[in-house]
Amino acid sequence: MTHFPPPAEELRLLDLELRQLDARRAQLLHRRAWLVTALHTAARPTPAPVAPPRPEASAPRVQNVLLVLGGVLLTIAAMAFTLVSWGHMGIAGRAVVLGGVTVAVLAVPVPLLKRGLRSTAESVAGIGLALTVLDAYALHQVGLADVDATGYVAAASAVLAALWTAYGLLPRTSGLRLPLPAALVVAQLPLALWAVAADAGPYWITAAVLVTAGFDTGVALRVPAGSVRITAAIGAYGMGAWGVWAAGWLSWTATGPSAAARAAALLLFAAGVALTAARQQAAEKHAGGLTVTAGLLTVAALGGTARPALPDAWTVPAYLACGIALLAAVRLDRLPETVRRGLARASAAVQGLALLWTVPLVGIVLVGPVAWAERVWSGAPGGLREALAVSAPWPVDMETVPVVLAVVAVVLVLAARDAVWRPRALTGVLVLAWATALVLPAVLEVPYVVGLVALGITTAGALAAAAWMRPSERPETETAREEPSAASTEKATTVDFPTPGPTATVLALLTSLSLAFLSLTTEPATLAVLATLTALLAAASWKPHLAPVTAPAALGYAAALACATGAAADWQPQYTALLVLAVPLAAALLAARLGDPRATVPVEVAGGIAALLAIGLAAVSADLPMLALVLALCGVVTAGTAIRPDRRPVGYAAAALFVLATWVRLAAWDIGTPEAYTLPVTVPALLVGALRRRRDPQTSSWTAYGPGLAATLVPSLLTAWGDPHWTRPLLLGLTALAVTLLGARHHLLAPLLLGGTVLALDALHELAPYIAQVTDALPRWVPPALAGLLLLAMGATYEQRLRDARRMRDFLGNMH
């Protein structure tokens, strides 16, 4: 039998076992913590070793900064000694101190260069050069105080430039880089300052500056040292720009042949320097720009020589002639290709500037007639120039604008013979010829009627050019599509460039607009011009490639002609609208005959805009019967367009126009019971819609039932909205409710939305007085409070749904 110990003994044994279990559990927990720590340490990436901080400045840079600062401080100290402490010493002491210090400082770089301390030697050399400047100043203060300061600075600059050059060329100091560039910088001053000191006048001063620039150019082209060459190039461009600007100003302000000739000599000298530099091999990279500069300076010189002897109006043609003369040099084979190309570009730049001078006059001729839109039929002016300058002053000295335009056009014809540039040149010639024909009547001050005829001829000519220059429809030749052979490679790579036809079309439209606005001065001129433009553009529309642009323009001018005819006949706007409706009808007929979709859409858009114009004219008059008639006629035109297979969707617009016409007619008749007129339309329409949906179940409910329902519901709603009785709103509400329920029952969107909308508006109309009463009875704080409660309720509902979603997520997670 099992032996059971006494209770006290058993309790002692249980406590002992529990203490052992606790000790074992603590041991296991400690071991677990160690293992977790070890795993985390193994998983954690080892941090990269921290790199030592990188110095922000390299040792050579620190060295250069210290040397430069030291040299600047020593130079400042020397200046302070010279300017402040000079008076405390005698003449001999001053000379000994400055001379000795300067010689000593200039000698220090020699041993420094031998030891390889180049940077320190450069710094000390810079200090020595600065001391020579102080020596020159001290010499003037002591012994040459009576000498003219400008002349002394010029002489001192020349002496210092020579001394620094000699110092930089000595065998033991030739390794220094600073003396020669410094000498070149100081050499910019002597000639100009000598000219100023001698009171030589602006021409000699400019000549001195240009000679200095020429000297810099020679140094930049001949000296191999990089620092000297860069310094010389900077000096050449800087002094050259200054001298050229001054010479150009002298040429432009010259009042006589002598002054103009002297300025021209300066400009030609600068051009010679630039052209000589361009032909040097060292300036090969800058040859193009230098040649263009030389060409422009030559034009400025020659044109400036001729300018004082010519009237002001011929100034630009004179410069243009000189620019065109540059093209003769392009034909010289002995000139390098780069030089010839640069001269050609200079000539092109001169011609471009001349054309830019003509822009204001061309702009006035084009835009000036727009001001007659505010002065319609106020009377014809005496001449064409007076009609064009009705809102802006006529520019002075612009009589030679046609000459400039024609000359540049001739140059383009003769110069552009390359196969690549030929089409572009023809486009430019076309634009220039058009601009010449546009401004010539105004420049000649022809009478007003003659000016209108001239603009009409320009429009016709541009249209003729557009009709003749038909764009090529071949993107590539047939040979290019095949494998090219050795004999047909050149033919296969031929590219068909577009012709100037589109540009001519745009120019014709711009001219026609200017002509149309210019004809607004008198009634006969307006009618004649609009009729002519309509016929001209309609005739041009027979060309298929012009129809997408000219046909809509012809329709636009026809609509304007209809409006002008109605105004001339003193018709009211609603009757003019009937005349305008001929344009949408013509557009619909024309669009049906056009086979090119590129022209069909613009024509239809133009017809639609004309129809909107007619509707607007009828609506302005507030004549409801005429407005209904216009809407119905627009609906007829639209329905005729919808007959075409590719224009079926236009039927929706036709239905909308017919419905609108019906509503306007009912409003015009002041009908109290519109249902008597709308129900006979609604019932057949709904039957036709039901039959169509039975044959084609995919038909939309809006197509089948929308027009029929709207024909009755909308007029009834408008009538019920102003009906003080309750019978009509009640019947309308019941009908709308039935339509809504039928739409919901059969899942039809059109009855559902139409019936629901009419029902809601009808109910709102009936409840509006009571809502107004309740609103007046309630305190003002009640609506905000109700809105706040609504928002709180929505927030609480949203929070509850989020809580339920979280619970469901947790439940699903526990199941997983």
Side-chain angles (χ1 to χ4, degrees):
M1 295 180 63
T2 304
H3 174 69
F4 290 100
E9 183 65 19
E10 186 176 2
L11 180 60
R12 186 182 66 78
L13 293 174
L14 291 177
D15 290 338
L16 179 61
E17 291 291 339
L18 290 174
R19 283 195 297 272
Q20 292 177 355
L21 289 175
D22 291 338
R24 182 59 178 169
R25 185 175 184 276
Q27 182 182 2
L28 294 175
L29 289 176
H30 179 73
R31 180 63 178 174
R32 181 182 182 278
W34 184 87
L35 291 173
V36 170
T37 304
L39 291 174
H40 286 178
T41 304
R44 186 181 303 117
T46 304
V50 180
R54 182 180 180 181
E56 296 182 358
S58 61
R61 182 173 297 180
V62 174
Q63 164 195 305
N64 294 334
V65 171
L66 293 177
L67 291 175
V68 170
L69 287 178
V72 171
L73 292 177
L74 288 176
T75 304
I76 293 174
M79 293 175 61
F81 169 78
T82 304
L83 298 176
V84 178
S85 301
W86 188 260
H88 300 290
M89 301 179 64
I91 297 176
R94 300 171 189 173
V96 170
V97 170
L98 271 181
V101 171
T102 303
V103 173
V105 171
L106 291 177
V108 169
V110 177
L112 292 177
L113 288 175
K114 290 182 178 180
R115 297 190 177 186
L117 301 177
R118 180 179 297 274
S119 299
T120 306
E122 295 285 355
S123 300
V124 176
I127 298 173
L129 298 181
L131 288 176
T132 57
V133 177
L134 294 177
D135 290 340
Y137 171 76
L139 181 62
H140 181 266
Q141 291 296 107
V142 174
L144 302 174
D146 297 334
V147 178
D148 179 62
T150 305
Y152 178 78
V153 172
S157 301
V159 173
L160 288 176
L163 290 177
W164 292 358
T165 302
Y167 179 72
L169 295 177
L170 290 176
R172 296 186 179 182
T173 57
S174 59
L176 296 174
R177 299 177 181 176
L178 182 61
L180 292 180
L184 189 58
V185 171
V186 176
Q188 310 299 310
L189 302 178
L191 289 179
L193 292 180
W194 271 330
V196 173
D199 197 14
Y203 290 93
W204 285 104
I205 296 175
T206 304
V209 173
L210 291 175
V211 170
T212 303
F215 168 75
D216 293 335
T217 304
V219 173
L221 294 175
R222 297 299 181 184
V223 177
S227 59
V228 178
R229 187 167 62 250
I230 293 174
T231 306
I234 295 174
Y237 281 113
M239 300 295 285
W242 180 18
V244 166
W245 179 85
W249 178 256
L250 292 174
S251 176
W252 184 256
T253 56
T255 57
S258 176
R262 284 181 289 171
L266 296 175
L267 291 172
L268 289 176
F269 173 77
V273 172
L275 187 60
T276 303
R279 301 187 64 178
Q280 302 298 318
Q281 187 176 2
E284 185 177 359
K285 295 182 179 179
H286 307 278
L290 291 173
T291 307
V292 172
T293 303
L296 293 177
L297 292 177
T298 303
V299 171
L302 299 179
T305 304
R307 185 189 58 80
L310 296 175
D312 292 339
W314 287 92
T315 299
V316 174
Y319 283 102
L320 177 61
C322 298
I324 295 173
L326 289 179
L327 294 176
V330 179
R331 303 295 180 183
L332 299 178
D333 296 334
R334 59 185 178 181
L335 292 178
E337 179 65 23
T338 306
V339 174
R340 289 189 293 170
R341 190 182 301 115
L343 293 177
R345 292 176 179 174
S347 177
V350 173
Q351 296 177 56
L353 292 175
L355 293 179
L356 188 63
W357 173 71
T358 66
V359 169
L361 186 61
V362 177
I364 287 179
V365 175
L366 277 179
V367 183
V370 177
W372 285 102
E374 299 178 355
R375 303 183 172 107
V376 178
W377 297 352
S378 59
L384 179 62
R385 180 178 295 188
E386 182 182 352
L388 294 174
V390 65
S391 62
W394 187 260
V396 297
D397 299 329
M398 302 290 284
E399 293 81 5
T400 55
V401 167
V403 176
V404 171
L405 294 171
V407 168
V408 176
V410 172
V411 171
L412 277 178
V413 171
L414 298 177
R417 298 180 180 180
D418 186 75
V420 176
W421 289 97
R422 187 68 176 177
R424 305 175 188 177
L426 290 178
T427 302
V429 169
L430 177 63
V431 174
L432 293 175
W434 166 79
T436 304
L438 192 68
V439 302
L440 185 60
V443 170
L444 297 178
E445 299 187 47
V446 300
Y448 171 71
V449 177
V450 177
L452 290 180
V453 174
L455 287 177
I457 294 175
T458 304
T459 305
L463 286 176
W468 175 65
M469 298 177 181
R470 181 170 181 172
S472 177
E473 298 178 356
R474 295 185 305 165
E476 56 182 358
T477 59
E478 294 294 331
T479 311
R481 300 177 185 176
E482 302 173 357
E483 189 69 24
S485 60
S488 61
T489 301
E490 183 178 358
K491 183 179 179 181
T493 56
T494 302
V495 180
D496 290 335
F497 290 96
T499 59
T503 304
T505 306
V506 174
L507 297 179
L509 291 180
L510 290 177
T511 312
S512 66
L513 287 174
S514 178
L515 177 59
F517 280 108
L518 192 62
S519 67
L520 297 177
T521 56
T522 60
E523 177 183 322
T526 303
L527 296 176
V529 167
L530 291 178
T532 303
L533 291 177
T534 302
L536 189 62
L537 292 170
S541 300
W542 287 101
K543 293 291 184 179
H545 65 284
L546 297 182
V549 179
T550 57
L555 293 174
Y557 284 122
L561 178 61
C563 294
T565 304
D570 200 15
W571 289 356
Q572 295 183 0
Q574 63 270 25
Y575 301 108
T576 304
L578 295 176
L579 187 59
V580 174
L581 282 178
V583 177
L585 178 60
L589 296 175
L590 181 61
R593 296 178 61 87
L594 291 174
D596 189 1
R598 296 176 301 174
T600 302
V601 175
V603 166
E604 291 176 342
V605 170
I609 295 174
L612 292 177
L613 175 62
I615 294 173
L617 290 173
V620 168
S621 63
D623 190 347
L624 295 182
M626 288 301 299
L627 178 58
L629 178 60
V630 171
L631 289 171
L633 293 177
C634 290
V636 171
V637 176
T638 309
T641 303
I643 297 176
R644 293 160 49 193
D646 57 337
R647 292 294 185 266
R648 297 297 187 192
V650 182
Y652 297 111
L657 288 171
F658 284 132
V659 171
L660 285 175
T662 303
W663 294 345
V664 173
R665 173 56 65 180
L666 293 176
W669 285 339
D670 197 13
I671 298 299
T673 309
E675 294 80 5
Y677 300 91
T678 58
L679 284 176
V681 177
T682 296
V683 174
L686 293 178
L687 292 176
V688 172
L691 291 175
R692 182 173 179 181
R693 277 188 60 84
R694 177 174 295 182
R695 293 180 179 179
D696 185 9
Q698 300 299 326
T699 303
S700 172
S701 62
W702 290 104
T703 304
Y705 305 118
L709 293 175
T712 296
L713 290 178
V714 176
S716 298
L717 178 63
L718 295 177
T719 306
W721 196 265
D723 193 346
H725 304 287
W726 60 272
T727 306
R728 182 185 300 277
L730 177 60
L731 295 176
L732 179 61
L734 293 176
T735 303
L737 177 60
V739 171
T740 304
L741 294 177
L742 288 174
R745 172 68 178 81
H746 297 283
H747 302 284
L748 298 176
L749 190 59
L752 183 63
L753 292 181
L754 286 175
T757 303
V758 173
L759 179 61
L761 293 176
D762 185 66
L764 180 63
H765 172 262
E766 292 301 309
L767 295 177
Y770 302 102
I771 294 175
Q773 294 178 3
V774 171
T775 303
D776 293 337
L778 289 176
R780 294 189 176 182
W781 58 268
V782 173
L786 294 176
L789 291 175
L790 177 61
L791 293 176
L792 288 176
M794 293 176 63
T797 303
Y798 188 75
E799 183 180 8
Q800 182 179 2
R801 292 181 178 178
L802 287 177
R803 184 191 61 189
D804 295 341
R806 292 193 193 98
R807 288 180 178 179
M808 180 60 68
R809 183 191 60 187
D810 295 340
F811 175 73
L812 294 176
N814 293 332
M815 290 180 63
H816 178 70

